[in-house]
Amino acid sequence: MSELPDRSANINFLREPLLRKLCELLDKSRAKTGWRRLGELVGSDRRFRVSSDEMEMCSLKVLDLEGSPSRTLLRLMGERGCTMGNLLDYLQTLGNSEALQCLKPSALQILIQPQSVALISGHNLRLSCSAVGKPPVQYQWFKTKEEVPNSVSQDLIINTVQQKDAGFYICRVNCEDAFEFSQWAQVDVLNVSSYGQGCHFQEGQLKVVIQPQSQQLHVGESLQLECGALGRPIPRYQWHRNKVPIPNATKRKHMIPHVMQDHHGKYCCEIISSSSRERVWTNEAVVVIAPRISVQLAGAVECTEDDFYALGASPNEFLLNSIPEQLYATDKVALLIGNLSYQNHPQLKAPMVDVYDLTNLLHQLNFKVVSLLDLTESEMRNAVEEFLLLLHKGVYGLLYYAGHGYENYGNSFMVPVDAPNPYRSANCLCVQSILKLMQEKETGLNVFLLDMCRKRNVHDESTPNIILRVTANIVFGYATCQDAEAFELSSSGFTNGVFVKFLKKRLLDDEKITVLLDRVAEDMGQFDATKGKQALEIRSSLSERRALTDPVLPADTADLAQTHSRLWAKAHELPESMCLDFDCGAQIKLGFAAEFSNVLVIYTNIVKKPEDMSFCQAQVTDFSQDLDVDPKEMNRETPEETGIYLLSSSLPQHCLYTRLSSLQKLKEELVFTVCLEGTFTSMDDDPVHWTKSINIGKPLIARLDLYRGVRKNSCLQTCLMPHSPSHSPCHSPGPEHRLHLHHRQHQTQDCNRLSLQQHYLEPYEHLQGAVGGFGDCYIGSIGQVYDSPAGPASSSDRLSIPIEATDDINELQTVFINSLQLQHQ
């Protein structure tokens, strides 16, 4: 048996043979010394907290064919930080001498494990395994399950290794009746002769010897890219297409059985040393995917491309005008803004979920995405300026906005979270102004997805004169029609707005963007909850079959593209995880994750603690006042307790979590304190504290200093253009009183509550509503403009103030009949 981990090591590091034997002993031991009594001891220890429900789950494992209650219990203990020292103490308390003896180191110990290696065909292979024991040990090597002939020494040597020798090897070490297996070692044999290369292996050096080759394929054919590097142990691989990592492409050979045209691009592989973390890159391989040529000629004879060449002619002579040209983007970038925490207007809910879902989908389409929540006016303008820096000729630019908004004279306005009540164009961002600036960049495609209200703002009589260029590359997807509201669905949890609910089901389709939006509109039209109240409107000047799935082929100006990529990476740079060693002997892991481009998650975990420390916990504190962090929502035991709902499933378990939002407000480098609290059995559980100051610089979007005042080249300069008399005249709401639905949710106070008529919503998710209007009550929407020119209304002008509409359906009729007074929210 190999040497055990030390007492401070986690019990999850127990090797399988030892763990299996220990579980067998605990499973069959009598009640006072078995797994159930062990669970009772652990359950009474606040450090590991095994509950009665978890003990019941362990006991049910006996119903499985090879189930083990002990294995399940030990796994739970290990996940909560139980060490070998803790387990030995528990077994000593139980008096289980067999289990204790099982955990004592044996005289048979493997000192040197064989290492995986990548080497060139024709070179010599040596794998080594060394063990000590009394009497002397014996060795036997295996390749997978088969014994390697004549391999009974501690070194396995194969002269002139060939491709057939590649595979997995393991060594069995015998000492009388005891035996132990080494760890597996992989041997990767690189055949470089076909690439015209030769190289001598140098221990410890990472060297690429196989480069991926450029290829030209037809749709439906198989793509195989191969690279290879020497290394001991075998290096790790990550394939990239157009500088973007390909998910799950982590093998030396990257294969696509049936290529499509959107697989066109430049491929390269990042190779990482498993020991020194050295990184090297292969050359780029250009993969061109051409459509298959097949034409129906007279007499119903189908001619393929090979048939044309057999006739001595090029198929292009026949099909020059019939084959659609493959369209490309030189880059794809997206700015996603979700405003929900308004200072002077109803609070919203769905924008956070909408932005999160669209971010993940756009990443799959190879977009560079900046996703931001809750921006003030200056922050929005500066974010747009940074977005514009990523644009250049041929780029696909996409802007998604969810929040309050309005539309006047054909111009759409996005409302920042600090906009006054009432707001006007000077307080908001004009979408058409942003489009004008995008056109100046000669972008290949401009897509605007606006998830906001388009009601007219009666407080804003300005008519910006924004002169746009005539281009055939503009697409607007409005979540609702002109002079109408957009909605979000009411739910006890987090959910999407109506627009994104259907958009996210279609966004990855390989369709022209206008066709994709048409299908979203059809889906929305079948949703009874909003039928007749919200309909997607599409405006487009697109004359080509541009799609969000189009491949990316960087422009010839490689330096410019790299500069823009660095700008994007600058806004998404996470601090590296770190281990902190404290004087008491404890070690803490400090990790980071990004929920949005301006939302950072910090988590702490106990990696190691002294044997005599009965309790240990690490918390983060003392954050910059710019971030306005609520201490009550920091250092929580579950992500959800601190507001991390969307990222919680991908975070490590059994940590303390803290969520830092609004990083764009951070003016200085982020410095905070990690406070370690511990108690020792010899000190009557009096807590002792240690602290470390941590500086992680400016993480994520904080590096762009969006908090600064509006910059010289921002979209504000475009918004402030002279008024034009050529715009459509003001269109005021009709005199009739209309009943509308509300887009977003905001908080209620103690007042009379309103809700929607039951026949609108019975079989569906409820829609949140609000009340406002001109003399009579109606249920308003996102971006609703309220008749209160003097600012926030008092109870005397209550009928022009929005108020919550709840799911209490039966109250609506009573409110209208009794003309109850409405209280300002």
Side-chain angles (χ1 to χ4, degrees):
M1 185 181 302
S2 61
E3 187 176 4
L4 291 170
D6 60 32
R7 287 179 58 89
S8 63
N10 191 290
I11 62 173
N12 282 342
F13 291 128
L14 281 171
R15 297 190 61 195
E16 179 58 31
L18 178 58
L19 177 62
R20 183 169 58 248
K21 183 176 181 181
L22 177 62
C23 291
E24 289 174 356
L25 291 172
L26 291 173
D27 285 341
K28 70 179 183 180
S29 296
R30 62 182 188 275
K32 292 185 178 180
T33 60
W35 72 269
R36 192 175 294 276
R37 176 56 182 156
L38 174 61
E40 292 174 359
L41 289 175
V42 176
S44 61
D45 191 330
R46 66 176 182 175
R47 294 172 296 176
F48 310 124
R49 301 178 183 174
V50 176
S51 67
S52 57
D53 289 341
E54 290 170 327
M55 286 294 292
E56 183 68 20
M57 178 185 68
C58 294
S59 65
L60 292 176
K61 291 298 178 181
V62 299
L63 301 178
D64 297 341
L65 182 62
E66 297 183 357
S68 168
S70 300
R71 182 181 289 267
T72 305
L73 175 61
L74 292 173
R75 176 178 55 80
L76 289 171
M77 293 166 58
E79 288 175 352
R80 288 157 201 191
C82 183
T83 65
M84 285 296 301
N86 300 138
L87 180 58
L88 290 170
D89 293 341
Y90 287 137
L91 295 177
Q92 186 71 43
T93 303
L94 290 177
N96 193 325
S97 56
E98 284 185 286
L100 284 170
Q101 186 64 32
C102 171
L103 292 179
K104 291 183 179 179
S106 167
L108 177 60
Q109 299 178 22
I110 296 180
L111 302 180
I112 298 177
Q113 297 282 357
Q115 279 192 316
S116 298
V117 61
L119 72 168
I120 298 174
S121 175
H123 287 222
N124 297 333
L125 167 68
R126 178 191 293 269
L127 297 176
S128 297
C129 176
S130 179
V132 295
K134 295 181 180 180
V137 298
Q138 298 175 330
Y139 300 89
Q140 176 61 58
W141 288 90
F142 293 79
K143 181 184 179 185
T144 314
K145 295 183 179 180
E146 301 295 328
E147 290 187 3
V148 180
N150 304 318
S151 57
V152 292
S153 67
Q154 65 182 35
D155 292 328
L156 172 65
I157 299 175
I158 301 178
N159 295 319
T160 316
V161 69
Q162 304 297 324
Q163 286 284 334
K164 63 182 178 65
D165 298 316
F168 291 86
Y169 292 80
I170 194 171
C171 185
R172 184 183 64 197
V173 182
N174 296 344
C175 183
E176 291 188 338
D177 295 335
F179 68 91
E180 184 67 47
F181 281 97
S182 71
Q183 65 187 21
W184 286 97
Q186 181 183 2
V187 174
D188 191 9
V189 180
L190 308 181
N191 183 11
V192 301
S193 59
S194 60
Y195 297 88
Q197 299 184 20
C199 179
H200 295 288
F201 177 73
Q202 297 183 25
E203 189 75 29
Q205 181 182 8
L206 190 63
K207 182 175 181 61
V208 180
V209 295
I210 299 178
Q211 298 282 0
Q213 304 298 300
S214 297
Q215 301 177 41
Q216 182 170 353
L217 304 171
H218 289 94
V219 170
E221 292 182 339
S222 174
L223 169 66
Q224 177 170 315
L225 295 167
E226 181 182 3
C227 68
L230 303 178
R232 185 191 294 268
I234 289 178
R236 295 181 286 116
Y237 297 88
Q238 175 59 62
W239 285 92
H240 295 244
R241 183 170 73 90
N242 299 325
K243 305 296 185 183
V244 178
I246 303 173
N248 304 317
T250 56
K251 296 182 179 179
R252 192 167 63 81
K253 296 181 179 180
H254 178 56
M255 298 184 64
I256 302 176
H258 305 285
V259 295
M260 303 297 291
Q261 284 189 320
D262 58 356
H263 290 126
H264 189 115
K266 296 182 179 178
Y267 290 77
C268 62
C269 189
E270 180 185 17
I271 307 176
I272 306 112
S273 170
S274 300
S275 56
S276 65
R277 296 190 177 181
E278 177 189 1
R279 296 171 184 263
V280 296
W281 289 83
T282 67
N283 298 335
E284 282 191 332
V286 178
V287 176
V288 178
I289 311 297
R292 282 199 176 275
I293 300 174
S294 178
V295 65
Q296 199 80 13
L297 300 179
V301 178
E302 185 180 78
C303 294
T304 65
E305 185 176 1
D306 293 336
D307 295 329
F308 285 116
Y309 285 114
L311 295 172
S314 168
N316 290 335
E317 298 175 12
F318 297 92
L319 302 173
L320 185 61
N321 299 319
S322 62
I323 302 175
E325 181 184 0
Q326 172 68 62
L327 300 174
Y328 307 101
T330 56
D331 204 351
K332 294 195 282 191
V333 297
L335 173 62
L336 278 55
I337 298 176
N339 285 343
L340 55 157
S341 302
Y342 280 87
Q343 300 171 13
N344 304 303
H345 303 282
Q347 302 287 297
L348 308 180
K349 187 174 183 180
M352 180 173 70
V353 189
D354 293 343
V355 168
Y356 185 82
D357 286 346
L358 292 183
T359 297
N360 292 330
L361 291 170
L362 289 170
H363 277 150
Q364 296 181 50
L365 295 170
N366 292 328
F367 272 83
K368 295 179 173 71
V369 183
V370 176
S371 58
L372 301 169
L373 298 183
D374 291 333
L375 300 185
T376 64
E377 179 194 345
S378 62
E379 291 166 355
M380 285 183 71
R381 296 192 188 279
N382 291 336
V384 168
E385 181 185 350
E386 295 291 342
F387 172 63
L388 293 171
L389 291 176
L390 296 174
L391 303 182
H392 52 89
K393 187 174 182 179
V395 171
Y396 286 9
L398 183 147
L399 187 147
Y400 170 81
Y401 170 75
H404 287 305
Y406 69 94
E407 183 174 309
N408 274 15
Y409 311 121
N411 293 313
S412 303
F413 293 89
M414 304 179 293
V415 181
V417 294
D418 63 340
N421 187 1
Y423 43 71
R424 296 175 174 83
S425 60
N427 315 121
C428 306
L429 271 72
C430 179
V431 175
Q432 282 68 26
S433 299
I434 299 173
L435 173 58
K436 176 178 173 62
L437 295 172
M438 291 175 70
Q439 287 183 320
E440 294 174 0
K441 301 286 186 173
E442 300 185 13
T443 42
L445 176 65
N446 301 310
V447 178
F448 294 85
L449 302 176
L450 302 177
D451 198 352
M452 66 185 198
C453 177
R454 297 177 66 196
K455 297 292 289 184
R456 179 177 171 272
N457 185 348
V458 297
H459 301 292
D460 184 13
E461 295 298 331
S462 62
T463 55
N465 182 19
I466 302 169
I467 303 174
L468 298 173
R469 295 168 53 189
V470 178
T471 58
N473 62 357
I474 302 171
V475 177
F476 278 91
Y478 294 96
T480 191
C481 296
Q482 189 174 12
D483 202 29
E485 295 87 10
F487 301 95
E488 69 180 15
L489 302 172
S490 172
S491 171
S492 57
F494 285 89
T495 186
N496 294 114
V498 175
F499 178 36
V500 174
K501 173 184 174 69
F502 296 100
L503 176 64
K504 68 181 185 180
K505 298 177 181 178
R506 298 281 188 182
L507 197 64
L508 299 181
D509 292 352
D510 185 18
E511 297 283 359
K512 183 179 178 181
I513 178 62
T514 49
V515 174
L516 183 150
L517 292 174
D518 275 333
R519 294 182 176 175
V520 175
E522 293 171 3
D523 296 341
M524 289 177 60
Q526 301 302 313
F527 188 48
D528 288 345
T530 53
K531 187 180 292 186
K533 307 171 188 66
Q534 177 177 351
L536 179 63
E537 181 176 330
I538 306 165
R539 294 185 181 179
S540 170
S541 67
L542 191 61
S543 62
E544 300 174 304
R545 191 195 177 279
R546 298 277 178 182
L548 299 182
T549 54
D550 288 344
V552 174
L553 282 182
D556 294 335
T557 54
D559 292 342
L560 179 63
Q562 290 179 3
T563 299
H564 293 159
S565 295
R566 285 195 294 270
L567 283 172
W568 175 80
K570 184 179 179 181
H572 292 81
E573 188 171 315
L574 272 174
E576 291 189 4
S577 299
M578 58 187 76
C579 285
L580 307 178
D581 294 311
F582 288 82
D583 293 340
C584 62
Q587 187 179 70
I588 308 303
K589 181 180 180 181
L590 188 64
F592 307 91
E595 192 171 30
F596 298 92
S597 301
N598 63 339
V599 178
L600 178 70
V601 175
I602 302 178
Y603 53 90
T604 58
N605 186 30
I606 309 298
V607 178
K608 179 182 177 182
K609 67 182 184 66
E611 296 180 14
D612 58 341
M613 183 178 282
S614 58
F615 174 76
C616 185
Q617 189 177 71
Q619 298 188 354
V620 293
T621 185
D622 298 336
F623 287 100
S624 168
Q625 295 183 357
D626 295 333
L627 299 178
D628 192 24
V629 184
D630 186 353
K632 296 179 181 179
E633 297 181 353
M634 295 167 50
N635 302 298
R636 311 300 293 180
E637 294 186 351
T638 65
E640 291 78 9
E641 289 181 274
T642 190
I644 309 167
Y645 298 96
L646 305 175
L647 198 64
S648 58
S649 61
S650 60
L651 293 174
Q653 296 182 342
H654 310 300
C655 302
L656 293 184
Y657 309 91
T658 298
R659 182 179 189 264
L660 303 180
S661 58
S662 300
L663 289 181
Q664 75 276 4
K665 301 185 185 302
L666 191 63
K667 298 178 181 179
E668 305 293 340
E669 292 184 337
L670 184 54
V671 180
F672 58 92
T673 301
V674 177
C675 180
L676 177 69
E677 178 182 351
T679 57
F680 295 87
T681 54
S682 59
M683 301 177 64
D684 298 326
D685 289 339
D686 291 332
V688 183
H689 297 85
W690 298 264
T691 61
K692 282 185 179 292
S693 180
I694 304 298
N695 185 339
I696 59 173
K698 286 191 172 183
L700 302 174
I701 202 71
R703 291 173 172 264
L704 301 185
D705 295 337
L706 299 187
Y707 67 87
R708 298 185 183 276
V710 178
R711 303 171 187 176
K712 181 183 299 184
N713 297 322
S714 78
C715 62
L716 178 62
Q717 306 305 314
T718 311
C719 292
L720 296 180
M721 299 190 71
H723 296 176
S724 169
S726 62
H727 283 288
S728 304
C730 174
H731 53 284
S732 300
E736 69 275 13
H737 305 305
R738 294 169 293 174
L739 182 66
H740 298 279
L741 299 176
H742 181 49
H743 176 78
R744 306 290 189 186
Q745 171 185 354
H746 60 281
Q747 300 297 322
T748 62
Q749 297 178 4
D750 294 331
C751 62
N752 297 299
R753 300 183 299 172
L754 303 181
S755 59
L756 303 176
Q757 294 182 11
Q758 188 167 0
H759 72 272
Y760 285 154
L761 304 176
E762 268 187 342
Y764 307 101
E765 299 166 275
H766 288 157
L767 301 168
Q768 290 289 34
V771 176
F774 304 96
D776 283 315
C777 290
Y778 67 93
I779 298 179
S781 67
I782 180 170
Q784 182 68 51
V785 181
Y786 307 110
D787 194 11
S788 53
S794 64
S795 59
S796 62
D797 44 7
R798 58 191 176 277
L799 293 181
S800 62
I801 299 302
I803 193 170
E804 175 79 357
T806 71
D807 297 335
D808 227 342
I809 306 280
N810 296 325
E811 293 186 16
L812 180 62
Q813 188 66 21
T814 304
V815 172
F816 275 87
I817 292 175
N818 297 332
S819 299
L820 295 179
Q821 293 188 346
L822 307 179
Q823 179 179 345
H824 171 54
Q825 301 302 300

